[in-house]
């Protein structure tokens, strides 16, 4: 019979192994920490604004902009100025981004 401390340690080790495996997988696809959740939010809410993405992720708009710029450079995200309000940037996954999103969700 396992003690609560043993279960705790085993769970911690499992979570760490999962985290490291996922980190390596995401990095091999050009993603940095925090970017996979961004990709998931955009996939689930096409046309989401940059400001709304930052609010949903509890990060600053400036932090979102930095990650989005990287993702745009990698060809994963497309930003477009809103047709009704030029101050807003709407976000969509590119074809490459949609493929990666599908792969990641299948893991």
């Amino acid at each position: 019979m396992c003690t609560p401390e043993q279960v705790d340690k085993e769970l911690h080790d499992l979570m760490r192994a999962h985290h490291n495996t996922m980190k390596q997988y995401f990095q091999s696809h050009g993603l940095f920490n925090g970017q996979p959740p961004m990709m998931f939010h955009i996939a689930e809410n096409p046309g989401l604004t940059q400001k709304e993405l930052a609010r949903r992720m509890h990060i600053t708009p400036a932090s979102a902009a930095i990650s989005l710029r990287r993702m745009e450079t990698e060809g994963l995200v497309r930003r477009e100025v809103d047709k009704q309000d030029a101050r807003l940037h709407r976000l969509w996954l590119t074809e490459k981004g949609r493929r990666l999103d599908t792969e990641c969700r299948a893991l």
Side-chain angles (χ1 to χ4, degrees):
M1 187 84 175
C2 291
T3 67
E5 290 80 17
Q6 290 170 320
V7 171
D8 220 25
K9 183 188 178 323
E10 291 296 321
L11 184 57
H12 178 267
D13 291 347
L14 178 64
M15 289 173 59
R16 179 173 297 282
H18 177 265
H19 172 80
N20 290 337
T21 300
M22 296 307 296
K23 183 177 177 181
Q24 288 175 353
Y25 177 81
F26 291 137
Q27 285 177 344
S28 74
H29 286 81
L31 293 172
F32 295 90
N33 287 341
Q35 290 178 333
M38 280 188 170
M39 191 171 61
F40 298 152
H41 277 290
I42 296 167
E44 292 171 1
N45 305 280
L48 182 71
T49 66
Q50 202 169 305
K51 185 176 181 179
E52 179 63 18
L53 175 64
R55 187 189 67 73
R56 288 177 184 214
M57 294 192 63
H58 308 286
I59 60 175
T60 66
S63 293
I66 291 167
S67 288
L68 288 167
R69 193 172 313 117
R70 286 180 180 163
M71 293 171 76
E72 205 170 19
T73 300
E74 289 291 325
L76 301 172
V77 172
R78 175 172 50 93
R79 287 192 271 194
E80 288 185 12
V81 174
D82 185 274
K83 290 179 175 92
Q84 279 80 39
D85 188 344
R87 297 171 297 176
L88 301 176
H89 289 92
R90 300 219 173 256
L91 306 168
W92 283 271
L93 293 181
T94 62
E95 182 59 37
K96 181 180 177 182
R98 285 190 297 275
R99 278 194 312 271
L100 183 55
D101 176 66
T102 299
E103 283 179 35
C104 290
R105 290 174 190 265
L107 293 178

